[in-house]
Amino acid sequence: MKLPNPISMATAACSAYQARISSLAASITPRVLVSTHGSGNYGESGKAAFYTIDELPMALREDLPSKKELQRVDIDLGPDRQAFIIDNVLTPEESDALASCAEAILNANGHSRVAPGIRTPPGMRINEAAHWYPPHGLSYFLPTIYRRIQHLVPKSVGAGLPLYHKLSEKVAQFKYNKGDQFNRHVDGLFPGQGANPEGDGVDEWTGVVSGFSLLFYLNDAEDGLEGGETRLWSKDGSRYKDITPRKGRVLAFRRGSHDAVLHAGLEVTGDVPKYMALINLAYGEPTGTRPLMQ
């Protein structure tokens, strides 16, 4: 009896995953929320846009409890550095839906490598960028995520800034094709923010800032992903931990502060792209809103 060819089986699995994401993306219609400029992979400046998706995929509109009991696992990076993982925060269906949102936006922006509203040094960020905001008051999946994890995240940061009652609503998604990576960096401080009620701009939530980066892994080895680990360094840089992408997993670490965690997205080595989403865990006492971009 002829045994199955493992290479052929892996190729078939890769093709099936990419076909599924492309099919889901075809039913999503993003629109430009704010036109702006941004930074490309090699320091170039160019036109870019933040998008919104007026009708989210059904998997991101269902307010379902987690099917599994979630647990936080702390990552030992030594003193003065805080990071942890929580598995199964997203279901496989939610992960695929978020990946398809990125793919729909990338189809709309020509698979742009210019990330809107940020500036990175040449060669630091090598990937495609799809950044967007859910409609005001209709973010659905973000409150669901918050409810699933709020009992597991730090209740305050810094000099006692309290955990805010919802996530910041910017969804920064990146697609890493074969050879793409994000070299060593720390994430900066950003205000809490979300799409404005008029649906034509972004409001800043004054008094609220980003305290932790939440990196959501949207696919993994079962989808054919190879490589793409996230490397986290200790304070003095003498040691590191590599975190393997796992579908539905969130990796959290401090950002925008003296104890921000140095990290990198390692190279994707196979043909299946890595999809991820960065959403900020917000802290502070709100004092109002004001236009951030329009």
Side-chain angles (χ1 to χ4, degrees):
M1 183 176 67
K2 185 177 180 181
L3 295 175
N5 185 326
I7 296 177
S8 297
M9 292 175 64
T11 300
C14 297
S15 299
Y17 174 74
Q18 292 175 301
R20 183 167 72 252
I21 298 304
S22 296
S23 177
L24 290 169
S27 65
I28 298 170
T29 307
R31 66 173 174 88
V32 173
L33 181 66
V34 177
S35 295
T36 185
H37 286 78
S39 176
N41 289 178
Y42 298 100
E44 71 276 18
S45 179
K47 293 181 179 180
F50 291 100
Y51 285 78
T52 190
I53 298 173
D54 292 312
E55 186 172 352
L56 294 171
M58 181 58 69
L60 299 181
R61 287 185 277 147
E62 297 176 322
D63 186 6
L64 300 175
S66 176
K67 295 179 181 178
K68 299 182 179 180
E69 182 178 354
L70 303 185
Q71 294 184 332
R72 166 177 156 178
V73 178
D74 290 310
I75 301 167
D76 181 14
L77 297 175
D80 202 30
R81 290 295 180 270
Q82 190 171 13
F84 55 89
I85 58 173
I86 306 172
D87 284 335
N88 304 307
V89 174
L90 297 177
T91 66
E93 295 79 13
E94 290 166 341
S95 297
D96 284 353
L98 261 180
S100 68
C101 287
E103 191 65 21
I105 292 170
L106 290 169
N107 289 338
N109 71 14
H111 287 260
S112 176
R113 288 177 174 261
V114 177
I118 63 173
R119 182 172 296 279
T120 50
M124 175 182 285
R125 181 187 61 81
I126 311 295
N127 55 30
E128 298 178 3
H131 293 192
W132 61 286
Y133 297 82
H136 178 81
L138 298 173
S139 55
Y140 297 113
F141 67 100
L142 293 179
T144 297
I145 290 170
Y146 183 86
R147 284 192 292 272
R148 290 175 183 173
I149 68 172
Q150 68 178 116
H151 64 293
L152 297 173
V153 303
K155 299 300 181 284
S156 65
V157 295
L161 278 180
L163 178 66
Y164 193 47
H165 69 269
K166 61 180 180 179
L167 300 174
S168 189
E169 294 182 350
K170 177 183 175 183
V171 183
Q173 293 197 248
F174 298 100
K175 178 182 179 181
Y176 293 74
N177 294 300
K178 187 174 184 178
D180 285 351
Q181 59 189 303
F182 205 142
N183 288 306
R184 294 199 303 178
H185 65 287
V186 294
D187 292 347
L189 186 70
F190 283 85
Q193 54 195 272
N196 65 16
E198 296 77 19
D200 62 2
V202 177
D203 282 345
E204 173 185 344
W205 308 337
T206 54
V208 178
V209 297
S210 54
F212 276 80
S213 292
L214 301 178
L215 293 187
F216 291 85
Y217 298 105
L218 306 181
N219 62 340
D220 59 19
E222 290 192 7
D223 299 310
L225 177 63
E226 299 174 65
E229 298 85 357
T230 304
R231 180 164 293 178
L232 310 174
W233 277 272
S234 61
K235 180 179 180 179
D236 62 5
S238 63
R239 58 193 181 93
Y240 61 82
K241 299 280 188 178
D242 286 346
I243 308 302
T244 300
R246 180 174 174 182
K247 196 168 193 168
R249 165 178 285 176
V250 63
L251 166 64
F253 50 82
R254 282 286 279 140
R255 65 174 296 151
S257 58
H258 69 89
D259 56 349
V261 174
L262 183 67
H263 62 284
L266 302 187
E267 181 180 348
V268 170
T269 57
D271 292 329
V272 171
K274 169 187 168 184
Y275 290 94
M276 53 79 59
L278 167 61
I279 301 169
N280 289 336
L281 188 60
Y283 289 80
E285 299 279 6
T287 59
T289 62
R290 62 186 178 196
L292 180 64
M293 295 179 288
Q294 206 160 15

